Amino acid sequence: GSGYVKPLSLKQSKMALPKTPKEEFGRFAQWESSVRKSSPDISAYPDDVIGPYQVKDEVAGKTIGVSTVVLGPGGKVLVAPPMQGLRWRLDPGPTHLDTCTFQVLSDDGAVLQYKGFIDRGARLEARFSKRPIVIRGAVTFQMRDGEAAIMGDDYWKDMLPVNVKTETTKFVMTKTASTPDEGQ
């Protein structure tokens, strides 16, 4: 399931072509009602998103690291050790952008959450053009439950505000053609 609703051709449609804007609006209302009643096949792990990606981490427009991440079937994430892949999923957005989120456990115990956006039209176009899928977003760092408590009261006093415009870690991930050995 790609998550797309397949439009009907005029031959498949049992409705006559509208002659006035009022008729067109009525026809649109009937179409929208039927679409909302149906449940399209929307998978959190679509086949066209599954595969290897080159991920570039960026701060202030400069690449600070490049890695390979494999988004596998059923939400499995594969990364190079010492990091561990946790999970991923694709959530349909209300507009043309879908949200792809994946999480990685770093060797120091921090959970890195990558949340990016993928243009639904570009994803569809990639099937035919064979251009790579590109996902862009931001990285957030999440501590495991209770870690802040064991660091003491000074932990919260030492936190400095981060300028979101220049210091946020962003990423660009591009799907690659080759699939690494998934038995890693």
Side-chain angles (χ1 to χ4, degrees), residues 90-110:
L90 184 78
D91 296 306
T95 62
H96 66 287
L97 294 176
D98 294 334
T99 305
C100 182
T101 307
F102 70 95
Q103 294 178 328
V104 175
L105 179 64
S106 70
D107 54 349
D108 65 358

Side-chain angles (χ1 to χ4, degrees), residues 63-163:
T63 301
I64 60 168
V66 178
S67 60
T68 299
V69 173
V70 178
L71 303 181
K76 186 177 181 180
V77 176
L78 298 172
V79 293
M83 312 247 313
Q84 296 177 19
L86 298 177
R87 61 184 162 262
W88 78 275
R89 66 175 289 119
L90 184 78
D91 296 306
T95 62
H96 66 287
L97 294 176
D98 294 334
T99 305
C100 182
T101 307
F102 70 95
Q103 294 178 328
V104 175
L105 179 64
S106 70
D107 54 349
D108 65 358
V111 175
L112 308 176
Q113 178 168 291
Y114 289 73
K115 182 176 274 192
F117 300 99
I118 179 172
D119 184 281
R120 199 173 297 146
R123 195 174 127 212
L124 178 64
E125 189 265 337
R127 295 179 189 170
F128 303 105
S129 70
K130 303 301 181 200
R131 289 187 192 148
I133 291 176
V134 177
I135 302 171
R136 299 174 192 275
V139 183
T140 55
F141 302 89
Q142 302 172 333
M143 296 185 83
R144 289 186 166 183
D145 294 339
E147 279 191 15
I150 62 172
M151 291 189 173
D153 294 333
D154 291 337
Y155 173 76
W156 297 108
K157 294 176 188 170
D158 287 342
M159 293 296 290
L160 298 175
V162 173
N163 183 337

Side-chain angles (χ1 to χ4, degrees), residues 15 18 21-36:
M15 302 173 77
K22 186 176 181 180
E23 284 182 25
E24 176 65 21
F25 182 70
R27 194 171 91 127
F28 175 76
Q30 287 179 339
W31 171 82
E32 184 178 28
S33 175
S34 68
V35 167
R36 290 183 186 270

